[in-house]
Amino acid sequence: MTELTGGPALPQERRIVTAIPGPKSQELLARKNAAVAGGVGLTLPVFTKRAGGGVIEDVDGNSLIDFGSGIAVTSVGSSAEAVVRRATAQLADFTHTCFMVTPYEGYVEVCEQLAELTPGDHAKKSALFNSGAEAVENAVKIARSYTKRQAVVVFDHGYHGRTNLTMALTAKNMPYKHGFGPFAPEVYRVPVAYGYRWPTGPENCAEEAAAQAIDAMTKQVGADNIAAIIIEPVLGEGGFIEPAKGFLPRIAQFAKDNGIVFVADEIQSGFCRTGQWFACEDEGVVPDLITTAKGIAGGLPLAAVTGRAEIMDAAHAGGLGGTYGGNPVACAAALGAIETMRELDLNAKAKRIEEVMKDRLSGMQEKFDIIGDIRGRGAMIAIELVKSGSKDPNPEAAGALAKACHAEGLLVLTCGTYGNVLRFLPPLVIGEDLLNEGLDIIEAAFARL
C-alpha cells in the first residue's frame, strides 16, 4: 500500500488524536532547542509531516486547519499539483547554474509573467531574488540609482524585513529591531491612514493623514532628497491595516509630482491574496516599482522587483543579482503557482473567503465587545482586540485566543504594532466546510475567554 502523500490528496479534515503538541512533536522540540538558535521562535511547536489544501498534518497524526498559509506563502495550497509537477521536472534537469553565469528560460518566463500581471500597461522589467527583504533592499538600490537621491520614506506600522536596511524601514521594535542597531541612515517615517485609531475619526483619516505625511516629507526631508516612498497597500505585520480610501492615491501623486519612485510592497498582499492580483489595484494605484515574494512560488523561496523599464535599467550591469536569485527550481514553482491561480480563479476564491469570514466575524463582534475592528480584504482578514468599553489594545486576549485555537487544532497568527490583532491567512484553496469549522473554533474560544 502506497503511503499517503501531502498536497491536494491529503484528507481535508480536522483530526485531533493527541494533545497539541503531541509526544513526537515534543521530542522534536527538544532537539530543536538543542540545535537551533534561540532567536528562531515558533508560533506553534507542532512539527509538520504533510500539508495540502487547508490542512497541516503533524508527526503525531493530528490534522490542523490552516489559517496561516506559512504567512501568506502557500496561497495555492502546499504541494499544489502544478507547483510539484513543474518543480520536479526542473529538479531532474538541473538545480542551479546561477542566472548571472549561464542563464535559463524559467527566469525570463517568470519576469514575462510579472510584466503581464502587475498593474500598468507601461514597459516593465524585473529582477529576481530570494526573499521579501532582499526585494525591498534592491528596490531601494534601484530607486537611488535612478533618482541619484538617498532618502527613503516609510510609514507608521510598516514592516519590510529583518535585514539591516529593512529593519530600519520597519516600524516595530520587538521582536524585529530590538538590540540589533545601529540601523541604516536616511530613512524617514511618516503617518499612515489607520482609520480605526485616527484621532478625529475614520471619516477624516485619509485627508488628514496624507496632509501630515506630505507635510513631514516636505519640511523634514525635502521632496528633492527623496529617492523612494515605500508602503504596503495593506499593512501586514503592523495589523492588516487598510489605509483609508484616498490615502494611497494622494501619496502616489505626491511621488509622481516630485520625481520620487513610488514602491508598493506587495510581499504579503500580492498574488490573489486580497481578491485581486495585487492589492494596490483596489484604488487604481500603479506603482513605479512593486516588490513580491511569499505567494509567488507556492512555498519555494523566490522574490522579485518589477517596475518601469527605465527605472529598472538604472542600475549598472552587475549591480543587481545574487548567487541564488531566481533559482531555476523556484522559477518553475512560480510558473506552476501562477498557472494554478489562473486555472482555479483564486481571486474569486479569495473574495468568497472574505464574504464568509466577515459575515461570521461581524456576528461575533455583536456578541463580544472586545472585537474592536474587523478589516482586510480577500483572504487577508484580521480582528483587532481591545479592552471592553475602550480602544485600549488587548494583546493578552489575542494571545489567549490564539492559544485556545491552537489547542483545538486551528492554526492562527497574531500581529499588530500593539500585539492585539488576530490575522487570518487561509490558503485560497481551502474548502468552505473547513473555513466555517475554523470560524466555529474561534467563536467558541471567544465564548470561553
Side-chain angles (χ1 to χ4, degrees):
M1 184 177 175
T2 304
E3 185 181 8
L4 182 70
T5 59
L10 198 61
Q12 296 298 291
E13 61 183 15
R14 181 175 68 102
R15 184 177 64 254
I16 306 302
V17 297
T18 73
I20 296 177
K24 291 181 180 178
S25 280
Q26 291 185 41
E27 290 175 12
L28 286 166
L29 180 61
R31 288 171 55 189
K32 179 264 181 192
N33 290 338
V36 178
V40 181
L42 299 177
T43 295
L44 176 58
V46 297
F47 282 73
T48 304
K49 185 175 184 181
R50 288 182 283 256
V55 298
I56 295 171
E57 185 181 296
D58 73 10
V59 292
D60 290 287
N62 299 298
S63 179
L64 285 67
I65 300 173
D66 182 11
F67 274 17
S69 300
I71 316 183
V73 169
T74 53
S75 297
V76 296
S78 192
S79 299
E81 185 277 330
V83 172
V84 172
R85 168 170 41 84
R86 286 178 178 255
T88 300
Q90 182 58 56
L91 275 167
D93 289 340
F94 63 93
T95 57
H96 177 78
T97 65
C98 184
F99 186 77
M100 300 178 299
V101 177
T102 57
Y104 36 88
E105 185 179 4
Y107 188 116
V108 176
E109 193 173 353
V110 170
C111 293
E112 290 171 339
Q113 291 288 320
L114 287 165
E116 180 181 338
L117 292 171
T118 51
D121 56 5
H122 50 275
K124 302 172 198 165
K125 292 187 178 183
S126 295
L128 304 184
F129 306 98
N130 301 294
S131 71
E134 269 191 76
V136 173
E137 291 227 1
N138 278 278
V140 172
K141 287 165 58 177
I142 292 163
R144 285 174 167 167
S145 184
Y146 178 72
T147 62
K148 311 303 180 190
R149 304 171 181 176
Q150 293 185 343
V152 179
V153 171
V154 289
F155 293 82
D156 287 340
H157 307 286
Y159 175 87
H160 301 286
R162 295 175 182 261
T163 57
N164 186 266
L165 175 56
T166 56
M167 281 192 294
L169 302 176
T170 291
K172 190 174 180 180
N173 175 53
M174 182 61 87
Y176 306 115
K177 304 169 72 166
H178 187 73
F180 297 144
F183 302 114
E186 287 301 310
V187 173
Y188 301 88
R189 195 172 316 284
V190 298
V192 75
Y194 187 172
Y196 179 65
R197 294 195 171 276
W198 197 253
T200 61
E203 65 279 5
N204 301 313
C205 182
E207 182 178 347
E208 291 179 1
Q212 289 182 23
I214 290 168
D215 185 65
M217 285 188 276
T218 303
K219 292 178 180 175
Q220 296 179 31
V221 190
D224 291 345
N225 296 317
I226 302 172
I229 297 172
I230 307 175
I231 190 167
E232 302 161 274
V234 177
L235 283 72
E237 296 292 323
F240 281 27
I241 299 163
E242 290 185 89
K245 299 297 184 191
F247 179 81
L248 283 176
R250 179 109 179 256
I251 298 299
Q253 188 62 50
F254 174 79
K256 182 178 181 180
D257 292 344
N258 290 280
I260 300 165
V261 176
F262 183 79
V263 183
D265 179 342
E266 293 258 15
I267 287 158
Q268 189 164 169
S269 59
F271 292 100
C272 306
R273 177 52 60 179
T274 63
Q276 295 165 297
W277 279 100
F278 298 97
C280 58
E281 296 177 70
D282 184 64
E283 292 188 87
V285 172
V286 178
D288 298 309
L289 300 180
I290 186 167
T291 60
T292 53
K294 290 190 182 291
I296 192 174
L300 275 72
L302 188 69
V305 182
T306 303
R308 298 183 185 278
E310 68 274 17
I311 298 176
M312 292 297 298
D313 281 340
H316 54 273
L320 304 178
T323 301
Y324 296 106
N327 170 270
V329 181
C331 286
L335 296 171
I338 292 168
E339 175 188 330
T340 304
M341 291 172 197
R342 285 191 164 114
E343 287 189 355
L344 299 182
D345 190 3
L346 292 190
N347 279 315
K349 297 273 190 184
K351 289 175 183 175
R352 177 57 184 161
I353 289 169
E354 176 185 350
E355 184 181 354
V356 171
M357 295 198 85
K358 283 191 171 178
D359 179 65
R360 291 288 308 275
L361 292 169
S362 295
M364 294 181 212
Q365 188 177 30
E366 292 176 3
K367 297 179 185 177
F368 309 111
D369 66 354
I370 65 168
I371 300 177
D373 194 29
I374 301 166
R375 55 178 178 256
R377 297 202 302 273
M380 190 175 182
I381 304 295
I383 52 176
E384 179 164 356
L385 303 181
V386 295
K387 294 177 181 176
S388 295
S390 74
K391 287 190 178 182
D392 294 342
N394 195 340
E396 298 82 10
L401 282 161
K403 185 176 180 180
C405 289
H406 296 165
E408 294 297 321
L410 172 66
L411 175 61
V412 297
L413 306 173
T414 60
C415 67
T417 301
Y418 312 109
N420 66 323
V421 176
L422 278 178
R423 57 174 161 168
F424 309 120
L425 292 160
L428 305 182
V429 296
I430 193 171
E432 279 196 34
D433 54 344
L434 281 178
L435 186 64
N436 276 300
E437 187 175 357
L439 289 161
D440 290 342
I441 292 169
I442 292 167
E443 186 163 7
F446 269 110
R448 294 193 303 269
L449 194 65

